[in-house]
Amino acid sequence: MSYQRIYDWVVAGLPFIVMFCFMCLIFTNEADRKLESLVLLSVVFLLPGISLLWISGRKRKRLNARYELYRNIIMEQEIKSIRAIEGLVNQRQAVVINDLKRMIGHGMIPYASMNMYSMTLVFHQNGFVAREGAGDRAEDGHTQEWDKPMPEYKPSEKRLPKSVECHGCGSSAILQPGESKACPYCDSLLSYPL
C-alpha cells in the first residue's frame, strides 16, 4: 500500500541516523583521527539515512497530492465510478482502491463507502448507507443523488441484530442496528435493513 511504503523508507532511514550518532560517540572519543572517522561515518551512515528520509518526504508529498486529486475528482467533478477515477489518476485499480479505502477510513472523504460489486463510491445520508437501487445510475456509471431522504434512526426503538444476505455472493453476515460493513468474501457493501 502506498502509505505503508512511505513508512518503510522512514523505518529504513532512522536506524542509519541512530547508528551514526552511536558510532560518533564511540569512534570520535577513541580515535586519533577524529575528522577522518567523522567523514567515514558520515558517508557510511549519515548520508544513506538522510537520503532515505528525503525519499520518504518526497513520496509523502506525492501521496498527499494524489489524495488531493482524488478529492477534487470525487467532490468537485462528482465522479463516483472507481474505474473512471482509475483512468483519471493513471494508477492501477488496486492502488486506487487502497487509496480510497484509506481516505474513507481517515475521514478525508466524509460519509462515503465503497461498493465493490458495482465499483462505485456510495455516499451516506443521515449516517446510513443507501440500499442497493436507492439511487439511479447514469449511463456513465455514476451514482446520482437520491430524491428521497433516508428515514431517521430513532434510538428509542429496540432493534436486534439481523442476518443480512449479500447481493454479490449470497453469503450472510450478522449486522448490529445501524451497522454497515463490507462482505468478508466479495467486499460488497452490507447494511442493516431499515
Side-chain angles (χ1 to χ4, degrees), residues 3-186:
Y3 67 93
Q4 288 177 334
R5 289 188 195 135
I6 292 170
Y7 297 124
D8 290 345
W9 288 102
V10 171
V11 168
L14 285 178
F16 279 101
I17 303 291
V18 170
M19 287 300 292
F20 170 75
C21 296
F22 182 69
M23 295 302 227
C24 279
L25 290 174
I26 292 173
F27 283 109
T28 55
N29 286 338
E30 296 178 7
D32 294 333
R33 300 177 178 169
K34 291 182 181 182
L35 182 60
E36 292 169 358
S37 298
L38 191 58
V39 169
L40 179 66
L41 291 173
S42 295
V43 170
V44 173
F45 293 109
L46 186 61
L47 289 177
I50 290 174
S51 298
L52 292 170
L53 293 177
W54 179 75
I55 290 170
S56 169
R58 281 188 57 209
K59 290 193 177 284
R60 184 182 313 264
K61 284 181 184 177
R62 285 184 188 165
L63 183 63
N64 287 335
R66 196 164 72 219
Y67 284 168
E68 195 59 39
L69 180 60
Y70 285 131
R71 283 183 51 83
N72 181 29
I73 290 169
I74 295 165
M75 301 302 205
E76 302 296 324
Q77 298 176 23
E78 297 181 359
I79 295 175
K80 311 286 189 287
S81 169
I82 293 172
R83 289 184 183 97
I85 294 170
E86 173 189 345
L88 290 171
V89 297
N90 198 22
Q91 292 287 333
R92 292 179 299 120
Q93 186 175 22
V95 172
V96 172
I97 289 171
N98 284 332
D99 286 347
L100 291 175
K101 281 182 180 178
R102 183 163 194 261
M103 291 178 72
I104 290 168
H106 284 274
M108 293 182 230
I109 305 174
Y111 308 111
S113 63
M114 290 175 51
N115 184 334
M116 297 305 290
Y117 180 69
S118 64
M119 295 300 286
T120 58
L121 289 170
V122 179
F123 285 86
H124 305 239
Q125 284 189 342
N126 298 332
F128 287 92
V129 177
R131 288 182 247 165
E132 286 299 312
D136 297 326
R137 286 186 77 158
E139 292 175 13
D140 58 0
H142 302 147
T143 303
Q144 301 298 314
E145 293 295 323
W146 300 288
D147 31 350
K148 295 182 196 172
M150 295 285 289
E152 288 189 33
Y153 172 69
K154 296 184 172 72
S156 61
E157 298 175 5
K158 178 70 174 162
R159 301 193 311 174
L160 300 174
K162 288 187 182 179
S163 177
V164 177
E165 186 175 330
C166 176
H167 63 278
C169 66
S171 68
S172 62
I174 303 291
L175 296 177
Q176 298 296 325
E179 181 182 17
S180 296
K181 67 179 180 180
C183 172
Y185 300 103
C186 68

